[in-house]
Amino acid sequence: MPGTESGRTGPEVDGTGAGRSLAGVLAAWGVSRTVLLLLFFKVFVLPGPDVTIDVSVIYQGWYEVLRDGTFPLDDVTWQYPPGAALAVLSPAALPFLDYTAAFGVLAVLADLAVLCLLLHGGRRNGRPLRGAWVWTGGAALLGPTLYARYDVMVAAVAVAALFSGARRPWAMGALAGFGALLKVWPALLLAGAVRRRSWAAAAVTATALGSLFVLILPGALSFLTAQRGRGTEVESLGGLVFQVARHFGWDGEVLLNYGSVEFVGPYVDVVSAASLVLTAAAFGWLLWWRLRARRFGPASLADAAFTAVLLFTATSRVISPQYLVWLVALAAVCLCFRSSGVGVPAWLVTAAALVTVLEFPVFFGAVVAGDPLGVGLLFARNGLLVAACVTACRALWRSTVPGPAGPVSPVGSSGTRATAR
């Protein structure tokens, strides 16, 4: 089999060199995660706000409410689909630890699961260590935020879904549907799916589990309207408008609103609406691409998922630091494939992760105050994301859409029309 042969050639997986490379990845992961745990448990403390407060205060508060048999509907910060309750309640699996410690342990295990999936799934696709290195380094660049949000758990589900896509489309769909119940964005993993079984499995899984939540816990669908009052968050692309405008007399302010730091004042609703228009335009481009795409190679599913989530993230009214966890995980999956065309945007996202930890938490005070340092960091981070969007869209189009500008991509195990069973 070609995939097997490619997995046995090259310096990454051949003989002694492979052993040293694998040992290097594992050592780097172990050292970096030890540092992250020391930061998470506040043995060492980064400058800026406490990133673990979401776990020790917000998640733990939700945990107490959920144990009583209802969603935390009176808390405006609860804006998540019903499956998020599983992540919030998961520390109950470790009753011998307090809530924060148990959550941290489970987050590390999810992180390790992503690494193992990359090493195993990437081995079949030719570049196991490249993806593993991206995850090891890129995720570590986010600092303790990696373990202070449940996004790393969702990322593990998403990575498993993408590696299941070629051989088990029903499993890919089921995992994508389950992931969507955890945090919506894994639904975008289906952007490049060409097998109807993936879509059917996702729909069945999301509907069945969603219905179960509706029957068991009141308010399971409250997330559908929970964000109607959201404005423009200070870290978002639209937020840059007000970061600059307030230096020229804009009469507004920065407030904690719906659980995040947002701009409030004149024209915020206009910019927020513009962000939604950008998101709609991004989805329109994805639909147009999907209708035109004809050549699907082994990497197409992962490349399309990465591009779709990247577009969703960059155009969002809220670009929270934990969103980079999604992007780094998907970038790592893409780079496991030799035929992936999104190498440049994947590295741009990794660079954005480094800038992200600087703007939050290290210099978040400067971001909120609109100081030149904070605004500069936002321009750098968001600029990297925009550049990644442009290059990812171009690469995806060129590799899948026939035409003089697009190279002919080999049809791999993910298939095209003939595999749409």
Side-chain angles (χ1 to χ4, degrees):
M1 293 175 64
T4 302
E5 292 175 4
S6 64
R8 292 180 181 174
T9 60
E12 284 185 318
V13 287
D14 183 27
T16 306
R20 291 200 195 101
S21 298
L22 178 59
V25 170
L26 296 177
W29 187 90
V31 171
S32 63
R33 273 38 180 190
T34 299
V35 173
L36 292 185
L37 283 172
L38 292 174
L39 291 170
F40 178 81
F41 289 113
K42 302 178 186 178
V43 177
F44 303 120
V45 179
L46 287 178
D50 179 7
V51 301
T52 64
I53 197 170
D54 272 33
V55 177
S56 59
V57 176
I58 298 177
Y59 286 9
Q60 188 163 1
W62 292 343
Y63 172 82
E64 299 298 336
V65 175
L66 286 164
R67 287 206 308 173
D68 290 336
T70 184
F71 286 98
L73 302 180
D74 295 331
D75 188 342
V76 295
T77 61
W78 177 262
Q79 302 161 15
Y80 302 102
L86 299 177
V88 173
L89 290 170
S90 62
L94 302 175
F96 49 87
L97 296 175
D98 64 47
Y99 186 88
T100 301
F103 189 92
V105 169
L106 293 173
V108 173
L109 292 177
D111 178 9
L112 180 59
V114 173
L115 180 69
C116 292
L117 286 165
L118 290 167
L119 290 171
H120 177 72
R123 181 168 169 267
R124 196 171 59 231
N125 296 295
R127 289 286 182 88
L129 297 182
R130 189 166 68 161
W133 273 116
V134 168
W135 174 251
T136 297
L141 290 176
L142 293 170
T145 298
L146 179 65
Y147 295 153
R149 307 290 188 274
Y150 78 89
D151 297 80
V152 67
M153 302 174 184
V154 187
V157 175
V159 170
L162 289 177
F163 280 127
S164 300
R167 300 187 178 190
R168 299 178 181 85
W170 60 269
M172 185 267 178
L175 287 168
F178 175 62
L181 285 177
L182 291 172
K183 210 164 188 183
V184 179
W185 68 265
L188 295 170
L189 302 179
L190 296 167
V194 295
R195 300 187 182 186
R196 288 192 294 268
R197 281 179 290 173
S198 294
W199 289 86
V204 170
T205 301
T207 301
L209 293 180
S211 299
L212 185 62
F213 276 111
V214 169
L215 291 174
I216 294 175
L217 295 174
L221 302 181
S222 62
F223 76 101
L224 294 174
T225 57
Q227 299 197 36
R228 286 183 301 183
R230 293 295 296 265
T232 296
E233 202 255 356
V234 294
E235 297 169 276
S236 67
L237 192 62
L240 287 174
V241 174
F242 300 110
Q243 291 283 11
V244 174
R246 60 181 174 175
H247 290 282
F248 293 92
W250 174 69
D251 186 22
E253 56 186 337
V254 176
L255 295 176
L256 183 63
N257 191 36
Y258 285 89
S260 66
V261 182
E262 299 181 351
F263 287 107
V264 176
Y267 307 110
V268 170
D269 56 341
V270 175
V271 172
S272 296
S275 295
L276 292 175
V277 170
L278 280 176
T279 300
F283 283 129
W285 182 89
L286 282 171
L287 178 60
W288 177 239
W289 163 77
R290 193 65 182 82
L291 293 172
R292 294 289 306 278
R294 293 293 183 273
R295 300 176 178 128
F296 292 88
S300 297
L301 180 66
D303 286 359
F306 172 70
T307 303
V309 176
L310 183 58
L311 288 169
F312 170 83
T313 301
T315 60
S316 173
R317 292 175 293 173
V318 182
I319 306 182
S320 296
Q322 61 266 29
Y323 289 14
L324 273 293
V325 176
W326 320 342
L327 297 177
V328 172
L330 298 183
V333 174
C334 292
L335 292 182
C336 285
F337 294 87
R338 293 184 183 278
S339 59
S340 175
V342 299
V344 171
W347 290 112
L348 289 173
V349 162
T350 304
L354 174 59
V355 183
T356 296
V357 78
L358 295 177
E359 64 91 359
F360 182 87
V362 177
F363 296 111
F364 192 62
V367 170
V368 173
D371 292 343
L373 173 60
V375 176
L377 288 171
L378 288 181
F379 267 103
R381 195 278 300 274
N382 292 347
L384 287 167
L385 292 180
V386 170
C389 284
V390 173
T391 53
C393 288
R394 183 174 181 272
L396 183 64
W397 187 277
R398 285 175 59 85
S399 66
T400 57
V401 176
V408 177
S409 298
V411 176
S413 58
S414 58
T416 54
R417 302 171 192 159
T419 60
R421 296 189 298 273

